[in-house]
Amino acid sequence: SAVISQKPSRDICQRGTSLTIQCQVDSQVTMMFWYRQQPGQSLTLIATANQGSEATYESGFVIDKFPISRPNLTFSTLTVSNMSPEDSSIYLCSVEGEGAGEGYTFGSGTRLTVV
Amino acid sequence: GENVEQHPSTLSVQEGDSAVIKCTYSDSASNYFPWYKQELGKGPQLIIDIRSNVGEKKDQRIAVTLNKTAKHFSLHITETQPEDSAVYFCAAISAGGSYIPTFGRGTSLIVHP
């Protein structure tokens, strides 16, 4: 399965600022996924990122707030913009396994605290 | 869309006991069911999965069962150890849909030494 390096692992940010989270995969993948996990909660999909096209956002998430880049098949970034305390969460990137819909692998997550 | 319910939300057992976590799903087209273990400060890790053409799958101390008719699947951990303490998530994926997993809300398993 793919190995994902995600950074930063944690950060404490001032409200109104932005944070960019990076994910590097050790193999080429078609789709990368970004999730938010609020404290004690399940995983909520933010968007799906394909290389060479705009990300597809889930209901409740917008590009202005969570811009995503996907410059190549091994790398993606998620920016959390104009942060407020409600954005305090764990953010995770994920990729599929070898078969469609199989064996999703996750990064180690970015624990974001907004003060 | 798919809806996955997971129970219990918290499970506390003594070391050596068995633990069972149950999930139900709503979409009859779902055909792939992975289970993830998330330890504190880490991302979820796939521990076992099952396809809809199989009723049971086992890997050492963990097993997963699937009842397609009833639309439920369960994770069984035998001879629990303190290192099994984590949050466990079930998920359902439909081959006829977007291939994006729908996750349950998670079960916090605590194994007391």
mmCIF file of all heavy atoms in Angstrom, chain A residues 59-107:
data_model
loop_
_atom_site.group_PDB
_atom_site.id
_atom_site.type_symbol
_atom_site.label_atom_id
_atom_site.label_comp_id
_atom_site.label_asym_id
_atom_site.label_seq_id
_atom_site.Cartn_x
_atom_site.Cartn_y
_atom_site.Cartn_z
ATOM 1 N N SER A 59 -20.569 18.812 -0.061
ATOM 2 C CA SER A 59 -21.506 19.798 0.455
ATOM 3 C C SER A 59 -21.008 20.356 1.782
ATOM 4 O O SER A 59 -20.604 19.620 2.668
ATOM 5 C CB SER A 59 -22.878 19.141 0.642
ATOM 6 O OG SER A 59 -23.799 20.036 1.218
ATOM 7 N N GLY A 60 -21.049 21.671 1.897
ATOM 8 C CA GLY A 60 -20.612 22.328 3.121
ATOM 9 C C GLY A 60 -19.173 22.804 3.090
ATOM 10 O O GLY A 60 -18.732 23.475 4.027
ATOM 11 N N PHE A 61 -18.460 22.473 2.045
ATOM 12 C CA PHE A 61 -17.056 22.896 1.908
ATOM 13 C C PHE A 61 -16.892 23.656 0.593
ATOM 14 O O PHE A 61 -17.418 23.232 -0.432
ATOM 15 C CB PHE A 61 -16.114 21.691 1.934
ATOM 16 C CG PHE A 61 -16.172 20.912 3.223
ATOM 17 C CD1 PHE A 61 -16.971 19.788 3.328
ATOM 18 C CD2 PHE A 61 -15.433 21.318 4.323
ATOM 19 C CE1 PHE A 61 -17.036 19.072 4.519
ATOM 20 C CE2 PHE A 61 -15.485 20.610 5.508
ATOM 21 C CZ PHE A 61 -16.291 19.488 5.611
ATOM 22 N N VAL A 62 -16.184 24.788 0.640
ATOM 23 C CA VAL A 62 -16.035 25.618 -0.548
ATOM 24 C C VAL A 62 -14.563 25.901 -0.818
ATOM 25 O O VAL A 62 -13.724 25.921 0.086
ATOM 26 C CB VAL A 62 -16.821 26.941 -0.410
ATOM 27 C CG1 VAL A 62 -18.311 26.668 -0.345
ATOM 28 C CG2 VAL A 62 -16.348 27.726 0.806
ATOM 29 N N ILE A 63 -14.291 26.163 -2.084
ATOM 30 C CA ILE A 63 -12.920 26.344 -2.533
ATOM 31 C C ILE A 63 -12.259 27.555 -1.890
ATOM 32 O O ILE A 63 -11.063 27.538 -1.604
ATOM 33 C CB ILE A 63 -12.875 26.425 -4.079
ATOM 34 C CG1 ILE A 63 -11.425 26.424 -4.578
ATOM 35 C CG2 ILE A 63 -13.624 27.646 -4.582
ATOM 36 C CD1 ILE A 63 -11.304 26.284 -6.081
ATOM 37 N N ASP A 64 -13.025 28.605 -1.641
ATOM 38 C CA ASP A 64 -12.429 29.806 -1.061
ATOM 39 C C ASP A 64 -11.899 29.545 0.342
ATOM 40 O O ASP A 64 -10.925 30.149 0.765
ATOM 41 C CB ASP A 64 -13.448 30.946 -1.018
ATOM 42 C CG ASP A 64 -13.764 31.484 -2.399
ATOM 43 O OD1 ASP A 64 -13.013 31.161 -3.349
ATOM 44 O OD2 ASP A 64 -14.767 32.213 -2.544
ATOM 45 N N LYS A 65 -12.545 28.667 1.059
ATOM 46 C CA LYS A 65 -12.159 28.345 2.426
ATOM 47 C C LYS A 65 -11.078 27.259 2.460
ATOM 48 O O LYS A 65 -10.182 27.297 3.290
ATOM 49 C CB LYS A 65 -13.389 27.870 3.201
ATOM 50 C CG LYS A 65 -13.126 27.420 4.627
ATOM 51 C CD LYS A 65 -12.692 28.582 5.520
ATOM 52 C CE LYS A 65 -12.554 28.111 6.965
ATOM 53 N NZ LYS A 65 -12.070 29.204 7.856
ATOM 54 N N PHE A 66 -11.180 26.297 1.553
ATOM 55 C CA PHE A 66 -10.266 25.154 1.534
ATOM 56 C C PHE A 66 -9.655 24.956 0.141
ATOM 57 O O PHE A 66 -9.903 23.947 -0.516
ATOM 58 C CB PHE A 66 -10.986 23.876 1.962
ATOM 59 C CG PHE A 66 -11.543 23.897 3.355
ATOM 60 C CD1 PHE A 66 -12.888 24.153 3.581
ATOM 61 C CD2 PHE A 66 -10.716 23.664 4.448
ATOM 62 C CE1 PHE A 66 -13.404 24.164 4.870
ATOM 63 C CE2 PHE A 66 -11.221 23.672 5.744
ATOM 64 C CZ PHE A 66 -12.573 23.924 5.954
ATOM 65 N N PRO A 67 -8.863 25.904 -0.335
ATOM 66 C CA PRO A 67 -8.250 25.709 -1.655
ATOM 67 C C PRO A 67 -7.293 24.523 -1.646
ATOM 68 O O PRO A 67 -6.571 24.293 -0.672
ATOM 69 C CB PRO A 67 -7.514 27.042 -1.906
ATOM 70 C CG PRO A 67 -7.385 27.678 -0.566
ATOM 71 C CD PRO A 67 -8.522 27.195 0.273
ATOM 72 N N ILE A 68 -7.321 23.782 -2.733
ATOM 73 C CA ILE A 68 -6.522 22.566 -2.865
ATOM 74 C C ILE A 68 -5.675 22.666 -4.125
ATOM 75 O O ILE A 68 -6.148 23.124 -5.159
ATOM 76 C CB ILE A 68 -7.430 21.323 -2.940
ATOM 77 C CG1 ILE A 68 -8.062 21.033 -1.579
ATOM 78 C CG2 ILE A 68 -6.668 20.097 -3.447
ATOM 79 C CD1 ILE A 68 -9.141 19.973 -1.607
ATOM 80 N N SER A 69 -4.441 22.238 -4.028
ATOM 81 C CA SER A 69 -3.605 22.124 -5.217
ATOM 82 C C SER A 69 -3.228 20.671 -5.433
ATOM 83 O O SER A 69 -3.113 19.894 -4.477
ATOM 84 C CB SER A 69 -2.340 22.983 -5.098
ATOM 85 O OG SER A 69 -1.386 22.349 -4.262
ATOM 86 N N ARG A 70 -3.048 20.303 -6.716
ATOM 87 C CA ARG A 70 -2.652 18.928 -7.059
ATOM 88 C C ARG A 70 -1.742 19.036 -8.283
ATOM 89 O O ARG A 70 -2.126 18.720 -9.391
ATOM 90 C CB ARG A 70 -3.895 18.095 -7.364
ATOM 91 C CG ARG A 70 -3.586 16.663 -7.639
ATOM 92 C CD ARG A 70 -3.354 15.863 -6.382
ATOM 93 N NE ARG A 70 -2.596 14.662 -6.641
ATOM 94 C CZ ARG A 70 -3.113 13.509 -7.063
ATOM 95 N NH1 ARG A 70 -4.413 13.416 -7.298
ATOM 96 N NH2 ARG A 70 -2.343 12.471 -7.266
ATOM 97 N N PRO A 71 -0.507 19.481 -8.045
ATOM 98 C CA PRO A 71 0.375 19.773 -9.179
ATOM 99 C C PRO A 71 0.888 18.542 -9.918
ATOM 100 O O PRO A 71 1.277 18.641 -11.077
ATOM 101 C CB PRO A 71 1.539 20.523 -8.527
ATOM 102 C CG PRO A 71 1.537 20.043 -7.109
ATOM 103 C CD PRO A 71 0.097 19.818 -6.768
ATOM 104 N N ASN A 72 0.915 17.383 -9.244
ATOM 105 C CA ASN A 72 1.369 16.156 -9.902
ATOM 106 C C ASN A 72 0.711 14.954 -9.233
ATOM 107 O O ASN A 72 -0.121 15.116 -8.334
ATOM 108 C CB ASN A 72 2.898 16.063 -9.868
ATOM 109 C CG ASN A 72 3.448 16.130 -8.457
ATOM 110 O OD1 ASN A 72 3.023 15.356 -7.583
ATOM 111 N ND2 ASN A 72 4.387 17.038 -8.218
ATOM 112 N N LEU A 73 1.096 13.762 -9.664
ATOM 113 C CA LEU A 73 0.410 12.553 -9.210
ATOM 114 C C LEU A 73 0.886 12.049 -7.847
ATOM 115 O O LEU A 73 0.401 11.017 -7.373
ATOM 116 C CB LEU A 73 0.588 11.440 -10.255
ATOM 117 C CG LEU A 73 -0.153 11.666 -11.572
ATOM 118 C CD1 LEU A 73 0.214 10.598 -12.588
ATOM 119 C CD2 LEU A 73 -1.662 11.689 -11.357
ATOM 120 N N THR A 74 1.813 12.752 -7.221
ATOM 121 C CA THR A 74 2.309 12.297 -5.919
ATOM 122 C C THR A 74 2.170 13.334 -4.818
ATOM 123 O O THR A 74 2.587 13.104 -3.685
ATOM 124 C CB THR A 74 3.800 11.898 -6.011
ATOM 125 O OG1 THR A 74 4.571 13.055 -6.345
ATOM 126 C CG2 THR A 74 4.019 10.793 -7.042
ATOM 127 N N PHE A 75 1.579 14.469 -5.107
ATOM 128 C CA PHE A 75 1.598 15.562 -4.131
ATOM 129 C C PHE A 75 0.304 16.358 -4.163
ATOM 130 O O PHE A 75 -0.299 16.558 -5.227
ATOM 131 C CB PHE A 75 2.789 16.482 -4.450
ATOM 132 C CG PHE A 75 3.015 17.570 -3.435
ATOM 133 C CD1 PHE A 75 3.643 17.293 -2.229
ATOM 134 C CD2 PHE A 75 2.614 18.869 -3.690
ATOM 135 C CE1 PHE A 75 3.874 18.292 -1.291
ATOM 136 C CE2 PHE A 75 2.838 19.886 -2.759
ATOM 137 C CZ PHE A 75 3.471 19.589 -1.570
ATOM 138 N N SER A 76 -0.116 16.820 -2.991
ATOM 139 C CA SER A 76 -1.280 17.697 -2.902
ATOM 140 C C SER A 76 -1.158 18.566 -1.661
ATOM 141 O O SER A 76 -0.498 18.191 -0.684
ATOM 142 C CB SER A 76 -2.570 16.878 -2.821
ATOM 143 O OG SER A 76 -3.714 17.723 -2.727
ATOM 144 N N THR A 77 -1.778 19.729 -1.721
ATOM 145 C CA THR A 77 -1.857 20.583 -0.548
ATOM 146 C C THR A 77 -3.291 20.998 -0.308
ATOM 147 O O THR A 77 -4.087 21.137 -1.240
ATOM 148 C CB THR A 77 -0.994 21.862 -0.678
ATOM 149 O OG1 THR A 77 -1.542 22.706 -1.696
ATOM 150 C CG2 THR A 77 0.449 21.529 -0.996
ATOM 151 N N LEU A 78 -3.614 21.180 0.960
ATOM 152 C CA LEU A 78 -4.893 21.739 1.407
ATOM 153 C C LEU A 78 -4.579 22.966 2.236
ATOM 154 O O LEU A 78 -3.772 22.896 3.163
ATOM 155 C CB LEU A 78 -5.658 20.722 2.253
ATOM 156 C CG LEU A 78 -6.898 21.258 2.982
ATOM 157 C CD1 LEU A 78 -8.063 21.432 2.013
ATOM 158 C CD2 LEU A 78 -7.314 20.323 4.126
ATOM 159 N N THR A 79 -5.208 24.078 1.915
ATOM 160 C CA THR A 79 -5.059 25.293 2.704
ATOM 161 C C THR A 79 -6.346 25.548 3.474
ATOM 162 O O THR A 79 -7.438 25.465 2.900
ATOM 163 C CB THR A 79 -4.726 26.499 1.811
ATOM 164 O OG1 THR A 79 -3.479 26.246 1.137
ATOM 165 C CG2 THR A 79 -4.593 27.761 2.629
ATOM 166 N N VAL A 80 -6.210 25.810 4.746
ATOM 167 C CA VAL A 80 -7.352 26.230 5.558
ATOM 168 C C VAL A 80 -7.219 27.737 5.691
ATOM 169 O O VAL A 80 -6.248 28.232 6.299
ATOM 170 C CB VAL A 80 -7.361 25.546 6.931
ATOM 171 C CG1 VAL A 80 -8.638 25.894 7.690
ATOM 172 C CG2 VAL A 80 -7.232 24.039 6.776
ATOM 173 N N SER A 81 -8.154 28.470 5.099
ATOM 174 C CA SER A 81 -8.027 29.922 4.973
ATOM 175 C C SER A 81 -8.851 30.669 6.011
ATOM 176 O O SER A 81 -9.881 30.170 6.479
ATOM 177 C CB SER A 81 -8.488 30.362 3.577
ATOM 178 O OG SER A 81 -7.774 29.707 2.570
ATOM 179 N N ASN A 82 -8.358 31.851 6.348
ATOM 180 C CA ASN A 82 -9.099 32.744 7.249
ATOM 181 C C ASN A 82 -9.672 31.951 8.432
ATOM 182 O O ASN A 82 -10.867 31.918 8.658
ATOM 183 C CB ASN A 82 -10.224 33.442 6.480
ATOM 184 C CG ASN A 82 -10.893 34.525 7.304
ATOM 185 O OD1 ASN A 82 -10.300 35.088 8.220
ATOM 186 N ND2 ASN A 82 -12.145 34.813 6.992
ATOM 187 N N MET A 83 -8.788 31.336 9.170
ATOM 188 C CA MET A 83 -9.198 30.368 10.184
ATOM 189 C C MET A 83 -9.926 30.984 11.358
ATOM 190 O O MET A 83 -9.655 32.120 11.771
ATOM 191 C CB MET A 83 -7.965 29.605 10.683
ATOM 192 C CG MET A 83 -7.408 28.640 9.648
ATOM 193 S SD MET A 83 -6.031 27.690 10.269
ATOM 194 C CE MET A 83 -4.736 28.917 10.262
ATOM 195 N N SER A 84 -10.849 30.197 11.893
ATOM 196 C CA SER A 84 -11.557 30.534 13.127
ATOM 197 C C SER A 84 -11.434 29.334 14.064
ATOM 198 O O SER A 84 -11.051 28.232 13.626
ATOM 199 C CB SER A 84 -13.027 30.833 12.833
ATOM 200 O OG SER A 84 -13.663 29.664 12.360
ATOM 201 N N PRO A 85 -11.750 29.510 15.334
ATOM 202 C CA PRO A 85 -11.646 28.373 16.271
ATOM 203 C C PRO A 85 -12.438 27.139 15.823
ATOM 204 O O PRO A 85 -12.040 26.004 16.148
ATOM 205 C CB PRO A 85 -12.191 28.943 17.571
ATOM 206 C CG PRO A 85 -11.845 30.397 17.490
ATOM 207 C CD PRO A 85 -12.025 30.756 16.042
ATOM 208 N N GLU A 86 -13.505 27.347 15.056
ATOM 209 C CA GLU A 86 -14.313 26.213 14.579
ATOM 210 C C GLU A 86 -13.552 25.337 13.587
ATOM 211 O O GLU A 86 -13.966 24.209 13.301
ATOM 212 C CB GLU A 86 -15.595 26.719 13.916
ATOM 213 C CG GLU A 86 -16.596 27.354 14.870
ATOM 214 C CD GLU A 86 -16.144 28.723 15.358
ATOM 215 O OE1 GLU A 86 -15.505 29.472 14.569
ATOM 216 O OE2 GLU A 86 -16.398 29.051 16.536
ATOM 217 N N ASP A 87 -12.465 25.835 13.061
ATOM 218 C CA ASP A 87 -11.639 25.050 12.143
ATOM 219 C C ASP A 87 -10.673 24.121 12.878
ATOM 220 O O ASP A 87 -9.972 23.328 12.233
ATOM 221 C CB ASP A 87 -10.849 25.978 11.210
ATOM 222 C CG ASP A 87 -11.741 26.768 10.277
ATOM 223 O OD1 ASP A 87 -12.729 26.189 9.775
ATOM 224 O OD2 ASP A 87 -11.458 27.968 10.058
ATOM 225 N N SER A 88 -10.635 24.213 14.187
ATOM 226 C CA SER A 88 -9.763 23.322 14.960
ATOM 227 C C SER A 88 -10.216 21.883 14.763
ATOM 228 O O SER A 88 -11.345 21.513 15.093
ATOM 229 C CB SER A 88 -9.811 23.696 16.444
ATOM 230 O OG SER A 88 -9.331 25.003 16.647
ATOM 231 N N SER A 89 -9.356 21.087 14.184
ATOM 232 C CA SER A 89 -9.691 19.707 13.807
ATOM 233 C C SER A 89 -8.407 18.981 13.457
ATOM 234 O O SER A 89 -7.331 19.578 13.399
ATOM 235 C CB SER A 89 -10.596 19.664 12.571
ATOM 236 O OG SER A 89 -11.926 19.969 12.873
ATOM 237 N N ILE A 90 -8.572 17.698 13.163
ATOM 238 C CA ILE A 90 -7.506 16.950 12.520
ATOM 239 C C ILE A 90 -7.839 16.891 11.033
ATOM 240 O O ILE A 90 -8.970 16.574 10.656
ATOM 241 C CB ILE A 90 -7.385 15.526 13.091
ATOM 242 C CG1 ILE A 90 -7.036 15.585 14.582
ATOM 243 C CG2 ILE A 90 -6.328 14.728 12.326
ATOM 244 C CD1 ILE A 90 -7.082 14.237 15.275
ATOM 245 N N TYR A 91 -6.855 17.194 10.201
ATOM 246 C CA TYR A 91 -7.035 17.129 8.756
ATOM 247 C C TYR A 91 -6.167 15.985 8.225
ATOM 248 O O TYR A 91 -5.003 15.839 8.578
ATOM 249 C CB TYR A 91 -6.649 18.455 8.108
ATOM 250 C CG TYR A 91 -7.609 19.559 8.483
ATOM 251 C CD1 TYR A 91 -7.435 20.292 9.659
ATOM 252 C CD2 TYR A 91 -8.722 19.848 7.687
ATOM 253 C CE1 TYR A 91 -8.335 21.274 10.023
ATOM 254 C CE2 TYR A 91 -9.628 20.838 8.044
ATOM 255 C CZ TYR A 91 -9.422 21.544 9.214
ATOM 256 O OH TYR A 91 -10.323 22.519 9.580
ATOM 257 N N LEU A 92 -6.778 15.170 7.379
ATOM 258 C CA LEU A 92 -6.118 13.963 6.889
ATOM 259 C C LEU A 92 -6.186 13.893 5.378
ATOM 260 O O LEU A 92 -7.222 14.213 4.781
ATOM 261 C CB LEU A 92 -6.807 12.711 7.450
ATOM 262 C CG LEU A 92 -6.765 12.519 8.968
ATOM 263 C CD1 LEU A 92 -8.046 11.885 9.456
ATOM 264 C CD2 LEU A 92 -5.573 11.661 9.345
ATOM 265 N N CYS A 93 -5.122 13.452 4.755
ATOM 266 C CA CYS A 93 -5.183 13.131 3.339
ATOM 267 C C CYS A 93 -5.218 11.614 3.187
ATOM 268 O O CYS A 93 -4.803 10.878 4.082
ATOM 269 C CB CYS A 93 -4.017 13.730 2.566
ATOM 270 S SG CYS A 93 -2.411 13.191 3.104
ATOM 271 N N SER A 94 -5.720 11.167 2.062
ATOM 272 C CA SER A 94 -5.914 9.742 1.844
ATOM 273 C C SER A 94 -5.818 9.427 0.358
ATOM 274 O O SER A 94 -6.114 10.276 -0.488
ATOM 275 C CB SER A 94 -7.299 9.332 2.373
ATOM 276 O OG SER A 94 -7.583 7.969 2.118
ATOM 277 N N VAL A 95 -5.408 8.202 0.069
ATOM 278 C CA VAL A 95 -5.381 7.734 -1.317
ATOM 279 C C VAL A 95 -5.972 6.338 -1.359
ATOM 280 O O VAL A 95 -5.980 5.609 -0.359
ATOM 281 C CB VAL A 95 -3.945 7.710 -1.890
ATOM 282 C CG1 VAL A 95 -3.332 9.104 -1.841
ATOM 283 C CG2 VAL A 95 -3.058 6.706 -1.172
ATOM 284 N N GLU A 96 -6.458 5.951 -2.544
ATOM 285 C CA GLU A 96 -7.001 4.608 -2.727
ATOM 286 C C GLU A 96 -5.894 3.575 -2.774
ATOM 287 O O GLU A 96 -4.744 3.901 -3.068
ATOM 288 C CB GLU A 96 -7.743 4.527 -4.070
ATOM 289 C CG GLU A 96 -9.118 5.124 -4.083
ATOM 290 C CD GLU A 96 -9.759 4.967 -5.441
ATOM 291 O OE1 GLU A 96 -9.193 5.461 -6.426
ATOM 292 O OE2 GLU A 96 -10.830 4.343 -5.511
ATOM 293 N N GLY A 97 -6.275 2.337 -2.551
ATOM 294 C CA GLY A 97 -5.382 1.224 -2.775
ATOM 295 C C GLY A 97 -5.294 0.911 -4.256
ATOM 296 O O GLY A 97 -5.687 1.720 -5.094
ATOM 297 N N GLU A 98 -4.836 -0.265 -4.554
ATOM 298 C CA GLU A 98 -4.583 -0.618 -5.960
ATOM 299 C C GLU A 98 -5.861 -0.762 -6.769
ATOM 300 O O GLU A 98 -5.887 -0.502 -7.967
ATOM 301 C CB GLU A 98 -3.774 -1.915 -6.020
ATOM 302 C CG GLU A 98 -2.346 -1.734 -5.526
ATOM 303 C CD GLU A 98 -1.501 -2.965 -5.737
ATOM 304 O OE1 GLU A 98 -2.034 -3.977 -6.233
ATOM 305 O OE2 GLU A 98 -0.304 -2.908 -5.399
ATOM 306 N N GLY A 99 -6.932 -1.190 -6.123
ATOM 307 C CA GLY A 99 -8.192 -1.332 -6.825
ATOM 308 C C GLY A 99 -9.116 -0.177 -6.495
ATOM 309 O O GLY A 99 -9.014 0.427 -5.429
ATOM 310 N N ALA A 100 -10.011 0.134 -7.401
ATOM 311 C CA ALA A 100 -10.936 1.246 -7.171
ATOM 312 C C ALA A 100 -11.732 1.001 -5.898
ATOM 313 O O ALA A 100 -12.358 -0.052 -5.734
ATOM 314 C CB ALA A 100 -11.866 1.410 -8.351
ATOM 315 N N GLY A 101 -11.715 1.981 -5.018
ATOM 316 C CA GLY A 101 -12.469 1.898 -3.783
ATOM 317 C C GLY A 101 -11.868 1.002 -2.728
ATOM 318 O O GLY A 101 -12.472 0.783 -1.681
ATOM 319 N N GLU A 102 -10.683 0.489 -2.948
ATOM 320 C CA GLU A 102 -10.107 -0.475 -2.012
ATOM 321 C C GLU A 102 -9.016 0.115 -1.147
ATOM 322 O O GLU A 102 -8.255 0.960 -1.583
ATOM 323 C CB GLU A 102 -9.514 -1.654 -2.798
ATOM 324 C CG GLU A 102 -10.523 -2.449 -3.582
ATOM 325 C CD GLU A 102 -9.908 -3.658 -4.241
ATOM 326 O OE1 GLU A 102 -8.749 -3.997 -3.916
ATOM 327 O OE2 GLU A 102 -10.576 -4.269 -5.071
ATOM 328 N N GLY A 103 -8.970 -0.378 0.087
ATOM 329 C CA GLY A 103 -7.802 -0.200 0.940
ATOM 330 C C GLY A 103 -7.258 1.203 1.029
ATOM 331 O O GLY A 103 -6.076 1.430 0.861
ATOM 332 N N TYR A 104 -8.101 2.164 1.299
ATOM 333 C CA TYR A 104 -7.638 3.535 1.434
ATOM 334 C C TYR A 104 -6.556 3.641 2.501
ATOM 335 O O TYR A 104 -6.654 3.066 3.575
ATOM 336 C CB TYR A 104 -8.796 4.449 1.806
ATOM 337 C CG TYR A 104 -9.718 4.752 0.646
ATOM 338 C CD1 TYR A 104 -10.681 3.849 0.246
ATOM 339 C CD2 TYR A 104 -9.598 5.950 -0.056
ATOM 340 C CE1 TYR A 104 -11.509 4.113 -0.820
ATOM 341 C CE2 TYR A 104 -10.429 6.229 -1.114
ATOM 342 C CZ TYR A 104 -11.383 5.316 -1.496
ATOM 343 O OH TYR A 104 -12.199 5.592 -2.557
ATOM 344 N N THR A 105 -5.516 4.399 2.166
ATOM 345 C CA THR A 105 -4.423 4.675 3.103
ATOM 346 C C THR A 105 -4.516 6.134 3.518
ATOM 347 O O THR A 105 -4.820 7.000 2.694
ATOM 348 C CB THR A 105 -3.068 4.422 2.421
ATOM 349 O OG1 THR A 105 -3.016 3.074 1.956
ATOM 350 C CG2 THR A 105 -1.924 4.659 3.394
ATOM 351 N N PHE A 106 -4.238 6.386 4.793
ATOM 352 C CA PHE A 106 -4.314 7.739 5.318
ATOM 353 C C PHE A 106 -2.942 8.239 5.742
ATOM 354 O O PHE A 106 -2.074 7.461 6.170
ATOM 355 C CB PHE A 106 -5.235 7.781 6.541
ATOM 356 C CG PHE A 106 -6.692 7.659 6.195
ATOM 357 C CD1 PHE A 106 -7.270 6.414 6.043
ATOM 358 C CD2 PHE A 106 -7.484 8.780 6.028
ATOM 359 C CE1 PHE A 106 -8.615 6.286 5.719
ATOM 360 C CE2 PHE A 106 -8.823 8.672 5.705
ATOM 361 C CZ PHE A 106 -9.392 7.425 5.551
ATOM 362 N N GLY A 107 -2.768 9.544 5.635
ATOM 363 C CA GLY A 107 -1.619 10.177 6.256
ATOM 364 C C GLY A 107 -1.792 10.193 7.765
ATOM 365 O O GLY A 107 -2.845 9.808 8.287
#
